[in-house]
Amino acid sequence: MRMSIKLTTQAYCKMLLHAAKYPHCAVNGLLVAEKQKEKKKDSHSTPILCVDCIPLFHGTLALAPMLEVALTLIDTWCKENKYVIAGYYQANERTKDFRPNQVSEKVGARIAENFSEAAMIMVDSTRFTMGCYEPILAIYDHHENKWKCRDCNVDSFDDWCEAQKITSALLEGRSYESLIDFDNHLDDLRNDWTNPEINKSVLHLC
Amino acid sequence: MRDKLRKWREDNHRNSEQIVDVGEELINEHASKLGDDIWIIYEQVMIAALDCSRDDLAWTCLQELKRQFPGSQRVKRLAGMRLEALEKYEDANKQYDSILQDDPTNTAARKRKISILKAQGKSAEAIRELNEYLEQFVGDQEAWHELSELYINEHDYGKAAFCLEELMMTNPHNHLYCEQYAEVKYTQGGLENLELSRKYFAQALKLNNRNMRALFGLYMSASHIAASPKVNATVKKANVKYATWATNQINRAYQVSYARKKFNNRLKLSENMVVVDVVSKPNTTKWTALSKVMINSKH
């Protein structure tokens, strides 16, 4: 039975903040989960909890070198923090375009090579509001080399009410202005793609 | 405030929310003190307002500009942009067509028509129109760059490279074009393209030794070449040297940037630094080694 994926507030929040920071660009990033100690083979498997999100790029997503650098660096960071790269998200440049494309499928497949339960998430910008009244993601699972869309509802979240409340608050407060993605890091190494300040804000509001 | 707006204009920043904040206040409260600057500010704020869905503000700015410059093509184009923002593409196209009837050489109107195609997802048509445009207006760098991006999004890296070559020819000192060209070549793949990409990453570094993308790119391309089974021992050795050099530089760059934050722990340089293990093992081993250094330097 396929394990379902769940998102924490911090993960969902940073994804949306990234999309909000660059409304005129495509954006993408990674989702990380805590590394499971043993594989549970029973049918009631615990869902994979994506605890954090690492925003990667904005603008042109279809170039390889910096993506490979990011994957490698983040993979190492994950190992040091007992995380594993568990998913990939993307928001396309055009609002009405929320279907996966070649980039998302390729990166998703690469992640799935290392983590079989990897999820590919597309952000539906047509439903993106400040109030965040509904989850705006489409979650895709990798099945026999194809990506199949799974229904995303409040059950895909660790605590939807909290996620909704906090994401909305941070959007209103324009926290996205201080969100750092990997592109920002490459522009200035002091920019921290783990976004500790935003993480603190999320905790503070919990 | 005026200076902020000017700087953003000159740098072509798309920080629309900030422009609206600053611009709206300036217009509402200090209009009389702005003199003739006010017209260019109206234009800047209007475009930013369109970005933020502030049609009220955009309309106000447009009206002021219409009053001051009746019959102006530039203002007509702004009116067209407002229609685009409202997704009234047919009306916007009519607006631009009327500009082009009066003045067939109006580049702004032609480029807006191409943007409409892009907004509608008609990439192939946008590419075709942009190519036609460039046949006439060969020196339009913004257009060449836009075309390279359109090609990259369609994964047509060969044609994207061609566009960037045009840009590099006319801007030989621009490290960004060099670096982007290298990225495209790297993405195209194959030994020849990798070697080219390494050369252009190196060139970008020569033009600007603080370009981190160029540095990382140099490391990646040199590593890939060194690991390729198709190269002879000399080439392998040379590329290992380049990759090692790049590692050192990257390491130093991280040290410098984090030193400013006064991190106390020391770097674990030892066994992980040197990229010598060019065995048929997958590249991840080397990259992990490199990245370990960088991660450690953060703490």
Side-chain angles (χ1 to χ4, degrees):
Chain A
M1 188 184 120
R2 180 148 271 263
M3 291 198 255
S4 53
I5 197 175
K6 266 194 196 275
L7 295 166
T8 59
T9 298
Q10 183 165 300
Y12 186 64
C13 196
K14 283 154 81 172
M15 248 196 287
L16 264 62
L17 286 176
H18 193 205
K21 186 179 181 188
Y22 298 106
H24 56 286
C25 294
V27 298
N28 66 1
L30 300 173
L31 293 162
V32 299
E34 277 167 359
K35 204 172 169 98
Q36 303 260 315
K37 298 234 173 89
E38 346 82 48
K39 255 197 174 148
K40 297 193 170 102
K41 297 236 164 140
D42 55 330
S43 54
H44 300 290
S45 25
T46 47
I48 298 169
L49 186 64
C50 286
V51 295
D52 205 357
C53 140
I54 316 277
L56 287 180
F57 303 108
H58 56 271
T60 310
L61 307 182
L63 291 174
M66 299 307 127
L67 177 60
E68 290 182 18
V69 172
L71 282 171
T72 313
L73 276 187
I74 293 167
D75 196 44
T76 306
W77 175 81
C78 279
K79 292 197 167 75
E80 310 247 318
N81 291 279
K82 308 269 194 314
Y83 286 149
V84 64
I85 297 180
Y88 168 82
Y89 73 86
Q90 185 172 302
N92 290 327
E93 186 176 1
R94 287 173 47 239
T95 319
K96 299 193 174 122
D97 178 13
F98 47 81
R99 279 167 318 154
N101 58 16
Q102 200 176 328
V103 177
S104 61
E105 292 191 359
K106 274 205 172 142
V107 183
R110 181 88 174 283
I111 294 173
E113 277 172 29
N114 285 333
F115 187 75
S116 54
E117 310 291 340
M120 189 238 290
I121 293 182
M122 298 300 294
V123 180
D124 180 359
S125 302
T126 58
R127 294 183 290 150
F128 199 154
T129 61
M130 293 293 264
C132 300
Y133 300 117
E134 47 166 356
I136 59 171
L137 312 176
I139 303 182
Y140 292 79
D141 300 313
H142 206 209
H143 264 305
E144 291 151 21
N145 272 332
K146 287 219 187 87
W147 290 96
K148 233 178 135 207
C149 188
R150 189 200 324 146
D151 198 30
C152 171
N153 49 38
V154 299
D155 289 331
S156 312
F157 294 86
D158 193 34
D159 182 342
W160 168 246
C161 286
E162 180 192 77
Q164 182 271 320
K165 191 182 71 169
I166 293 181
T167 307
S168 179
L170 290 180
L171 283 170
E172 297 274 352
R174 297 208 199 166
S175 291
Y176 45 81
E177 286 172 3
S178 58
L179 181 96
I180 300 293
D181 65 9
F182 201 77
D183 256 333
N184 302 137
H185 176 72
L186 290 173
D187 291 334
D188 183 338
L189 292 182
R190 292 167 294 177
N191 286 331
D192 190 346
W193 42 261
T194 62
N195 288 289
E197 293 304 318
I198 297 198
N199 293 344
K200 262 191 232 154
S201 310
V202 171
L203 269 177
H204 186 66
L205 288 169
C206 273
Chain B
M1 284 205 280
R2 234 169 147 172
D3 296 326
K4 272 196 207 165
L5 283 179
R6 182 165 15 105
K7 182 157 195 308
W8 292 332
R9 237 177 6 247
E10 286 168 8
D11 294 341
N12 212 359
H13 267 166
R14 199 170 173 169
N15 52 334
S16 300
E17 270 190 317
Q18 286 179 301
I19 294 175
V20 163
D21 282 346
V22 173
E24 191 169 21
E25 191 185 321
L26 208 58
I27 290 171
N28 288 338
E29 306 189 8
H30 309 281
S32 46
K33 304 183 200 144
L34 292 169
D36 274 337
D37 265 359
I38 196 169
W39 308 114
I40 201 156
I41 288 176
Y42 271 131
E43 184 182 42
Q44 185 182 11
V45 174
M46 184 195 160
I47 295 176
L50 290 179
D51 247 357
C52 299
S53 289
R54 285 285 312 274
D55 193 46
D56 56 320
L57 181 58
W59 182 249
T60 312
C61 295
L62 185 59
Q63 295 310 101
E64 291 297 318
L65 287 165
K66 270 188 178 161
R67 239 182 347 167
Q68 181 71 7
F69 305 102
S72 150
Q73 306 284 39
R74 190 161 160 177
V75 177
K76 260 187 169 176
R77 166 200 166 230
L78 289 173
M81 282 175 81
R82 179 178 164 270
L83 291 169
E84 282 185 65
L86 296 169
E87 292 185 82
K88 296 186 171 154
Y89 296 123
E90 261 192 57
D91 293 336
N93 265 320
K94 283 202 191 117
Q95 183 84 342
Y96 298 133
D97 285 332
S98 96
I99 297 178
L100 286 168
Q101 244 185 350
D102 291 337
D103 176 12
T105 65
N106 190 306
T107 56
R110 273 183 84 164
K111 287 198 270 191
R112 284 322 310 165
K113 288 187 63 140
I114 294 169
S115 304
I116 290 178
L117 290 171
K118 195 177 164 191
Q120 294 173 311
K122 299 179 179 166
S123 322
E125 285 180 53
I127 289 176
R128 197 173 45 234
E129 293 289 325
L130 194 44
N131 267 304
E132 270 183 44
Y133 170 86
L134 280 166
E135 275 173 35
Q136 252 191 290
F137 299 98
V138 157
D140 190 333
Q141 321 220 332
E142 182 186 67
W144 279 113
H145 201 251
E146 181 68 39
L147 186 56
S148 78
E149 277 183 22
L150 285 173
Y151 277 131
I152 291 171
N153 287 335
E154 296 302 303
H155 306 284
D156 195 340
Y157 300 108
K159 300 215 179 88
F162 178 80
C163 299
L164 287 163
E165 280 162 14
E166 286 287 332
L167 286 166
M168 287 195 294
M169 260 199 318
T170 46
N171 301 272
H173 299 296
N174 186 318
H175 65 105
L176 294 171
Y177 292 150
C178 254
E179 189 267 312
Q180 273 190 316
Y181 180 74
E183 283 200 55
V184 169
K185 283 291 160 192
Y186 181 108
T187 309
Q188 265 184 296
L191 190 55
E192 242 182 77
N193 286 324
L194 271 178
E195 298 204 294
L196 259 176
S197 95
R198 192 204 64 227
K199 290 185 181 147
Y200 280 91
F201 278 129
Q203 177 67 4
L205 263 180
K206 217 163 78 169
L207 294 169
N208 179 345
N209 62 7
R210 290 161 72 190
N211 185 329
M212 279 313 292
R213 288 182 178 81
L215 194 47
F216 274 117
L218 178 60
Y219 170 77
M220 298 293 276
S221 48
S223 299
H224 268 302
I225 296 170
S228 164
K230 298 185 197 160
V231 299
N232 62 40
T234 332
V235 173
K236 213 189 266 274
K237 200 167 164 197
N239 279 284
V240 167
K241 219 171 69 177
Y242 303 140
T244 312
W245 178 85
T247 311
N248 289 332
Q249 296 299 108
I250 294 172
N251 192 28
R252 208 180 315 157
Y254 270 100
Q255 266 182 291
V256 167
S257 47
Y258 290 112
R260 293 196 208 165
K261 284 188 179 178
K262 297 200 177 99
F263 278 104
N264 286 322
N265 300 15
R266 255 169 304 114
L267 273 175
K268 255 206 317 216
L269 296 180
S270 57
E271 73 279 17
N272 297 320
M273 259 199 62
V274 181
V275 175
V276 178
D277 182 24
V278 185
V279 175
S280 50
K281 259 198 221 171
N283 289 330
T284 41
T285 326
K286 292 201 290 283
W287 302 346
T288 318
L290 169 60
S291 52
K292 255 208 179 100
V293 166
M294 289 184 277
I295 301 298
N296 284 336
S297 68
K298 272 173 119 178
H299 304 294

